[in-house]
Amino acid sequence: MKSLNTLFLLVGLAFTAVSSLSLEAYSRNDFPTAPGFVFGSGTSAYQVEGAADEDGRSPSIWDVFTHSDAGHSGGATGDVACDQYHKYKEDVKLMADVGLEAYRFSISWSRLLPSGRKPVNPKGLQYYNNLIDELVTHGIQPHATLHHFDLPHALEDEYGGWLSPQSVRDFTAYADTCFKEFGDRVSHWTTINEANVFALGGYDEGISPPGRCSPPSAVNCSKGNSSTEPYIAVHNMLLAHASATNLYKKHYKHKQHGSVGISVYTYGAFPLTNSAEDKQAESRLNDFFIGWILHPLVYGDYPETMKSFVGSRLPAFTEEESEQVKGAIDFIGVINYMALYVKDNSSSPKPNLQDFNTDMAVELTVVGNTSFKNQYADTPWSLQQVLLYIKEAYRNLPIYVAENGQMTPRISSPLEDTTRVEYLRSHIEAVLHSLRKGANVKGYFQWSLMDLFEIFGGYEMSYGLYYVDFKDPFLTRYPKLSAHWYSSFLNGTLHHRSYASSSAL
């Protein structure tokens, strides 16, 4: 069976596939107008801010991970990154130049609350107030994420971070601080980014912060238990999310009129064969990846499939906890990059120590060509499939496409990113098809605003609308062809307009 280690690495690899969607002309006017539907772009704090040890910020688990031997970024770190901490005004101007209607960013918990708890760091508070004010001044809707792989390392050291129920209390207090300080201008809150993949990478495969794992799942970790810890971490994250969401509903929603959601990494999936077993395997993949997070928040408990296949290693909600998590969600953030073929593997012998991979009991194959040298392919059906699945399985929850974009290797002529233009064109079309089929989609956020630090590959992977010259001490940003296309689309020009060059916006 292909391990999730391989699959995580393939998130940054290229693939090709034939789109099942028709090619048609469309424009921004075919979508609901803002704020009913918004188009934006996104980043996260550790990936763009830099200033890692400035103005009172303390290390997060991501800082410690990238500085360790376990890091998978080729020795690169986010110590400087894109220096958005100092260049936020310039970057907001770039957003305005493109015409972004919204910007998805994350707040660094360890910049705002360096110890993980109060007191608030005044410099961190000032930075996020300045950034949010700048966005609002330029008419850009701020969408804030509270945790993007970056728990304060002080809490990891103190009690094991997300493996301890104490994390629920501390996250709720942190969320309360953010709601209080920024909620007069921020109406869209995501509690935890990619809760499922964060748990698998950090507690099963050990390939992302905090880098915990155990044999036979992985062997490159000095501590951890891949058989139990991913499930424990997600359980505590769900309780923390619910606690923060219910706090917001009780104390802030009536005056701030905002919403709180959580984001989930998803795959568009297709059974490898028409056999009943492979179709069941596809359903199981959806339960394990999407249902793991959404089922408790919509129905109050984990999917029956997970409970059956994982057994006693899957934590159980008490009756009180079930009541707390059920309904504690205003929207779901969908993160989608790739598509998979799914084959049943439930009849294979199980090892003595099982993990998420063996529990799920499927074989996964990435659709298309996965050579790093090739460009990302056009698999918009993957995104459409996920949006429609959530519509049917989870009561048509409001959805924001929180991340969707194309990785290309950094090359000598980076501005002519024609394949990224086609990727954006086809995936935005997939969102339009999903809307017309009744999916409750409220926004689309391209990943990412600019080239930035990636957890795999450091600065060798490019997702940005803007090229960042990391060899330039000023970290100068340059618009790519994709920035021009997105700008033209947002300003009402049809998607099929071609560009001869990437002159300045």
Side-chain angles (χ1 to χ4, degrees), residues 84-104:
Q84 190 171 89
Y85 186 75
H86 298 109
K87 298 169 75 71
Y88 70 91
K89 287 188 176 182
E90 174 185 336
D91 289 345
V92 174
K93 177 62 166 55
L94 298 182
M95 301 175 209
D97 288 344
V98 172
L100 295 188
E101 299 161 358
Y103 177 54
R104 178 176 174 256

Side-chain angles (χ1 to χ4, degrees), residues 102-121:
Y103 177 54
R104 178 176 174 256
F105 64 98
S106 74
I107 295 168
S108 168
W109 186 348
S110 58
R111 190 182 296 283
L112 189 64
L113 301 174
S115 69
R117 307 186 185 96
K118 289 186 177 180
V120 173
N121 174 20

Side-chain angles (χ1 to χ4, degrees), residues 196-344:
N196 52 353
V197 161
F198 170 65
L200 295 176
Y203 298 91
D204 188 348
E205 296 287 345
I207 57 175
S208 61
R212 297 177 64 89
C213 65
S214 65
S217 304
V219 295
N220 60 332
C221 303
S222 60
K223 53 188 175 182
N225 186 332
S226 298
S227 187
T228 59
E229 288 187 0
Y231 301 115
I232 294 170
V234 162
H235 196 75
N236 288 326
M237 283 188 274
L238 286 169
L239 293 174
H241 162 84
S243 177
T245 302
N246 292 330
L247 172 78
Y248 186 85
K249 289 180 177 179
K250 182 177 181 180
H251 294 291
Y252 296 98
K253 194 176 183 72
H254 68 283
K255 54 185 175 181
Q256 295 180 358
H257 309 292
S259 57
V260 185
I262 193 169
S263 77
V264 178
Y265 193 97
T266 67
Y267 297 106
F270 195 79
L272 186 63
T273 72
N274 287 325
S275 70
E277 291 79 9
D278 285 357
K279 291 178 180 179
Q280 291 171 357
E282 179 200 2
S283 177
R284 199 157 59 245
L285 173 78
N286 286 330
D287 279 344
F288 268 72
F289 263 92
I290 300 175
W292 190 15
I293 308 301
L294 289 193
H295 218 82
L297 296 175
V298 175
Y299 301 112
D301 201 359
Y302 294 112
E304 289 299 323
T305 307
M306 287 195 75
K307 293 164 70 174
S308 174
F309 276 65
V310 181
S312 62
R313 288 178 292 111
L314 185 67
F317 292 105
T318 65
E319 185 175 341
E320 181 182 2
E321 289 171 344
S322 178
E323 291 177 359
Q324 290 171 351
V325 299
K326 185 178 181 180
I329 186 167
D330 296 320
F331 66 86
I332 176 65
V334 165
I335 295 174
N336 182 267
Y337 291 95
M338 86 169 44
L340 299 173
Y341 288 123
V342 186
K343 185 179 186 301
D344 177 64

Side-chain angles (χ1 to χ4, degrees), residues 274-504:
N274 287 325
S275 70
E277 291 79 9
D278 285 357
K279 291 178 180 179
Q280 291 171 357
E282 179 200 2
S283 177
R284 199 157 59 245
L285 173 78
N286 286 330
D287 279 344
F288 268 72
F289 263 92
I290 300 175
W292 190 15
I293 308 301
L294 289 193
H295 218 82
L297 296 175
V298 175
Y299 301 112
D301 201 359
Y302 294 112
E304 289 299 323
T305 307
M306 287 195 75
K307 293 164 70 174
S308 174
F309 276 65
V310 181
S312 62
R313 288 178 292 111
L314 185 67
F317 292 105
T318 65
E319 185 175 341
E320 181 182 2
E321 289 171 344
S322 178
E323 291 177 359
Q324 290 171 351
V325 299
K326 185 178 181 180
I329 186 167
D330 296 320
F331 66 86
I332 176 65
V334 165
I335 295 174
N336 182 267
Y337 291 95
M338 86 169 44
L340 299 173
Y341 288 123
V342 186
K343 185 179 186 301
D344 177 64
N345 194 36
S346 59
S347 60
S348 297
K350 300 296 186 291
N352 292 330
L353 293 175
Q354 292 184 241
D355 74 337
F356 185 89
N357 259 333
T358 53
D359 290 334
M360 190 165 51
V362 299
E363 292 182 8
L364 304 175
T365 304
V366 178
V367 174
N369 191 322
T370 57
S371 168
F372 185 82
K373 296 179 181 179
N374 294 329
Q375 304 298 318
Y376 253 16
D378 194 8
T379 55
W381 62 267
S382 171
L383 177 58
Q384 178 174 319
Q385 183 190 67
V386 168
L387 298 179
L388 295 178
Y389 174 78
I390 291 173
K391 169 183 176 286
E392 297 298 330
Y394 294 104
R395 297 178 176 173
N396 208 11
L397 274 172
I399 299 170
Y400 288 91
V401 179
E403 286 184 29
N404 176 246
Q406 185 197 51
M407 191 288 299
T408 55
R410 287 178 67 86
I411 55 177
S412 58
S413 300
L415 303 185
E416 304 296 325
D417 59 342
T418 55
T419 60
R420 184 170 289 108
V421 170
E422 175 56 22
Y423 186 98
L424 283 172
R425 185 211 61 75
S426 62
H427 284 75
I428 291 174
E429 185 181 355
V431 175
L432 182 58
H433 279 265
S434 301
L435 277 167
R436 289 172 173 171
K437 291 179 180 291
N440 194 10
V441 190
K442 299 296 185 181
Y444 174 90
F445 289 82
Q446 176 270 349
W447 184 269
S448 54
L449 175 67
M450 65 188 73
D451 294 343
L452 38 69
F453 174 80
E454 287 291 344
I455 198 164
F456 303 118
Y459 299 99
E460 298 306 312
M461 295 179 176
S462 168
Y463 285 88
L465 298 173
Y466 284 87
Y467 172 80
V468 179
D469 186 351
F470 291 108
K471 295 181 180 179
D472 176 356
F474 298 102
L475 296 169
T476 305
R477 286 86 152 117
Y478 299 93
K480 301 178 187 178
L481 198 63
S482 55
H484 294 276
W485 182 90
Y486 205 24
S487 178
S488 177
F489 166 72
L490 293 174
N491 284 304
T493 304
L494 292 180
H495 80 287
H496 58 337
R497 176 179 173 181
S498 62
Y499 292 88
S501 66
S502 52
S503 56

Side-chain angles (χ1 to χ4, degrees), residues 45-64:
Y46 187 69
Q47 293 178 273
V48 293
E49 282 182 4
D53 59 356
E54 291 186 39
D55 293 341
R57 180 187 181 275
S58 68
S60 72
I61 57 174
W62 203 343
D63 290 90
V64 173

